[in-house]
Amino acid sequence: MESTLYLGSLVASKAALQSIILLIDHKLILITIASTRNIKNQAPTVHTPMSLILAAVIYAAPATSVPVNCSDTSVFQASGKYPALLWLSIAIAVITAFLQGLVSTLALIAESSNYWTLRFRLAKREHMWWTTVSIMLFFSWVLIIFSFIFGNYGESLGILALASATTLAIVQYTVPAWRARHYVLNRWLAWTGNSRTSVDLVHWRFAGTPTRWQIVSRNVEANRSIPSDWYGWTICDNSIRQDLMDILYSIQSWNIASDDFERPIPADTYIFDDGLDYDNADTPRRVSLLWGRPQNFSRRVSRAIASVPRTLMTSMPLSADGYRCEGVCLALGVLGRNKGLRPKLLVFDIGDLGTTFLEDTSTWAPRPSKVLRSAYRELIKTQYGGIGGMYVDAALELSLLFMDCPAIATTAWLTAECEHQDIKLNWLLRQTPGIELYELDAHYRSSYTSMIISLCYMRSSDALPMRPDLICTGLLLQAENKPRPSWWMQDEVVKRRRQEMDALKTTEKDTMPAHALIAAARLLGLSEYPSDFDGDWKEAVADQA
């Protein structure tokens, strides 16, 4: 008797239960509408879509009368024809609610625990996931409509709830996720690309081929774990999971003297030769190492993300003042990986050139995001003000270019790794007989100007983007009144310069990328592009402003 009353208290009055759930869910919907205006940029929460889905399940529960005997199985039977339609609809809604709760909880845990590599991985598939959720809810809604048509007339509230849940999933989650998918991919590329890291001079011998790194990593256990490095679960992935710095600093004995350093550096090592004079005792005993996928390291978010506000890590990043900051987030990811050894010496003199020339002559002109220059400057200055004014100017221009550049072009630029100096060109230069240290030094110091020019004047067609590293190196040497390098007219160097010229042409019909060359010359300290750049250099006309 007690068990009968207990069961009756659960299922006797479906109408009363539905009224309570309707009242509760009505409040949840109101809370959702009010709160999503404030947290629209955050990861999807668990309770908002799930509450509607679970409410739909309860609304759709078959209406029955209270059984007199607990053994009566009529409590599990729906009225009308084809009850299987109703139960299948309920099963799909329950499975969807469970899976959505699982994925959303995983995303929330990743964010709260700073597992940014895992979070960015999940975000790349977020649009597909929300599409799947919407399809499953829509299918469940169709089934319950058919159940209603075939006689289950007590399921009107279930139809309404499933319609609300499906509409919410499509309008508030699926559509925005599809619109943001290109930016989310570019964010992954900007934050997880190859890194240029400063390492101790004694470590350089370990920098080399993937096989060499595999051997080192297998014999070393990393002594610490940074949450943002965690990649997550994979299948059949043999890439190196440890961070490069953790591997190097975990080795206890070196047996290598700090002065045991070969010049030129062997070509199979991913070390940039920035023209440092290691024979000078005042020179820092460090080298600049490029590492990542070429050495079979798994992708990971740069550890520079620890200095980035969380508001910039969402799929719709905003500043504290409410400005859209997709370009800032991408720029911070790039600049966290490509500084090199001496970022304070990087040349990007926008003072005389002015921002108007870059804005009016760029491939992406007109550039509407130029109005954000003042708002972005304060945000960028907070991050990089200690490095210097030129670095802040370069970071600001990169942020604005990312805002104006089409997402597909940004993807091509990041995929071509144009944020880094061309390591193959550095190999070519450092192996060239007669190369001077100041020439390699100019090659490094002009690298940020080369980066900005390559994106600002990137051809909008399907042509592969390319950095004008060699052109910028020559322009900086002329701006500093250096003689023409002995290798300047070698066949390989001339061929490379022609390739860089072609990459900067706005269209294939252009004979010369005039705007790009003028901008590069002025940013590097010249008042004009030298007419004798490809011949015998005359005395450079340095910018005295």
Side-chain angles (χ1 to χ4, degrees):
M1 181 64 180
E2 292 179 355
S3 61
T4 303
L5 292 176
Y6 178 74
L7 182 59
S9 66
L10 294 178
V11 298
S13 180
K14 178 188 174 183
L17 181 60
Q18 288 176 337
S19 299
I20 296 173
I21 296 299
L22 181 60
L23 178 61
I24 295 174
D25 197 61
H26 176 68
K27 293 181 179 179
L28 285 174
I29 295 173
L30 291 179
I31 294 172
T32 300
I33 294 174
S35 62
T36 50
R37 295 175 183 173
N38 297 325
I39 63 171
K40 200 169 186 179
N41 299 318
Q42 297 181 7
T45 56
V46 179
H47 65 271
T48 301
M50 281 189 61
S51 62
L52 287 176
I53 298 172
L54 292 175
V57 175
I58 297 176
Y59 293 151
T64 65
S65 59
V66 181
V68 177
N69 193 333
C70 288
S71 61
D72 189 353
T73 59
S74 63
V75 67
F76 302 107
Q77 297 178 1
S79 59
K81 299 179 181 180
Y82 306 110
L85 292 175
L86 178 61
W87 286 111
L88 182 58
S89 174
I90 296 172
I92 293 175
V94 170
I95 293 173
T96 305
F98 174 77
L99 293 178
Q100 171 55 28
L102 184 65
V103 174
S104 296
T105 301
L106 181 61
L108 288 174
I109 292 175
E111 286 191 8
S112 61
S113 302
N114 294 324
Y115 294 147
W116 291 113
T117 300
L118 175 62
R119 182 65 187 96
F120 285 4
R121 282 184 65 204
L122 293 175
K124 287 196 304 175
R125 300 290 181 263
E126 201 166 69
H127 63 290
M128 298 301 300
W129 167 246
W130 278 110
T131 300
T132 303
V133 169
S134 299
I135 291 174
M136 293 180 70
L137 288 176
F138 179 78
F139 186 52
S140 177
W141 178 63
V142 171
L143 289 176
I144 202 171
I145 287 179
F146 277 109
S147 176
F148 181 83
I149 293 174
F150 287 121
N152 291 322
Y153 299 118
E155 316 311 329
S156 56
L157 289 177
I159 294 174
L160 177 61
L162 276 173
S164 300
T166 304
T167 303
L168 178 67
I170 293 175
V171 174
Q172 192 161 349
Y173 296 98
T174 306
V175 173
W178 274 91
R179 292 181 63 184
R181 70 188 187 280
H182 293 299
Y183 165 71
V184 169
L185 173 61
N186 289 335
R187 182 181 64 177
W188 171 259
L189 295 174
W191 278 97
T192 65
N194 298 332
S195 295
R196 183 171 181 169
T197 302
S198 172
V199 301
D200 195 279
L201 193 61
V202 299
H203 299 170
W204 78 272
R205 285 188 180 277
F206 292 92
T209 62
T211 303
R212 190 183 305 176
W213 276 112
Q214 285 283 3
I215 295 173
V216 174
S217 63
R218 289 170 185 170
N219 293 282
V220 171
E221 293 185 4
N223 55 10
R224 62 176 177 172
S225 176
I226 305 298
S228 62
D229 292 346
W230 191 53
Y231 190 82
W233 303 277
T234 57
I235 299 176
C236 300
D237 184 7
N238 296 323
S239 60
I240 303 173
R241 295 299 181 87
Q242 299 101 315
D243 186 87
L244 175 135
M245 297 303 294
D246 291 342
I247 293 176
L248 294 180
Y249 282 98
S250 295
I251 300 177
Q252 300 299 322
S253 60
W254 291 103
N255 299 322
I256 299 176
S258 60
D259 58 351
D260 187 9
F261 186 78
E262 296 181 10
R263 183 176 291 280
I265 303 171
D268 64 341
T269 58
Y270 281 81
I271 293 178
F272 286 99
D273 194 334
D274 295 337
L276 295 179
D277 184 8
Y278 292 104
D279 294 332
N280 189 337
D282 296 331
T283 302
R285 317 303 288 174
R286 305 191 69 81
V287 291
S288 185
L289 170 64
L290 182 69
W291 65 282
R293 297 304 299 166
Q295 296 93 341
N296 199 34
F297 282 89
S298 63
R299 282 187 175 269
R300 75 207 49 224
V301 168
S302 169
R303 291 181 175 180
I305 201 171
S307 65
V308 179
R310 284 181 177 268
T311 55
L312 298 182
M313 291 295 100
T314 64
S315 59
M316 294 181 63
L318 296 177
S319 67
D321 297 326
Y323 295 104
R324 290 182 56 187
C325 290
E326 289 92 337
V328 175
C329 181
L330 297 181
L332 293 180
V334 167
L335 300 177
R337 301 182 290 105
N338 72 345
K339 293 185 182 67
L341 295 177
R342 300 164 295 160
K344 291 185 178 181
L345 301 181
L346 293 168
V347 179
F348 187 81
D349 187 7
I350 202 171
D352 181 63
L353 175 65
T355 59
T356 304
F357 186 86
L358 288 177
E359 294 165 355
D360 293 344
T361 62
S362 171
T363 303
W364 320 116
R367 290 175 51 186
S369 296
K370 62 186 178 184
V371 298
L372 296 172
R373 188 174 295 274
S374 298
Y376 281 7
R377 178 173 291 277
E378 294 302 319
L379 185 58
I380 296 295
K381 193 173 182 180
T382 301
Q383 292 285 331
Y384 301 118
I387 299 180
M390 286 191 181
Y391 195 92
V392 171
D393 289 338
L396 176 59
E397 197 61 37
L398 183 63
S399 301
L400 295 173
L401 281 170
F402 279 139
M403 290 294 293
D404 293 322
C405 182
I408 296 178
T410 302
T411 302
W413 190 82
L414 291 171
T415 302
E417 299 180 2
C418 289
E419 71 271 27
H420 288 292
Q421 279 183 273
D422 189 341
I423 187 67
K424 294 182 179 179
L425 176 60
N426 191 262
W427 287 348
L428 172 64
L429 293 181
R430 71 192 187 203
Q431 299 293 327
T432 300
I435 189 76
E436 299 290 344
L437 292 181
Y438 70 82
E439 294 168 349
L440 292 170
D441 175 67
H443 179 53
Y444 165 70
R445 291 189 294 116
S446 63
S447 61
Y448 264 38
T449 295
S450 176
M451 174 181 68
I452 298 298
I453 293 297
S454 69
L455 182 59
C456 186
Y457 296 97
M458 173 183 170
R459 190 183 300 178
S460 57
S461 64
D462 295 333
L464 185 67
M466 187 177 192
R467 290 172 56 106
D469 284 347
L470 201 54
I471 293 175
C472 290
T473 299
L475 290 173
L476 183 56
L477 289 173
Q478 281 206 335
E480 296 176 347
N481 292 313
K482 301 295 184 181
R484 191 187 76 176
S486 59
W487 43 266
W488 189 248
M489 301 304 296
Q490 290 184 7
D491 292 341
E492 290 188 33
V493 175
V494 172
K495 179 181 178 181
R496 167 72 188 217
R497 288 205 309 273
R498 289 175 180 172
Q499 292 174 345
E500 293 178 356
M501 290 280 189
D502 291 339
L504 293 177
K505 293 178 181 178
T506 306
T507 64
E508 295 181 359
K509 296 181 180 179
D510 291 343
T511 57
M512 186 176 182
H515 290 149
L517 296 178
I518 293 173
R522 292 184 180 178
L523 288 171
L524 291 168
L526 293 169
S527 61
E528 59 184 13
Y529 179 74
S531 58
D532 59 343
F533 187 69
D534 290 325
D536 294 329
W537 290 5
K538 299 177 183 178
E539 184 177 354
V541 182
D543 185 4
Q544 302 299 328

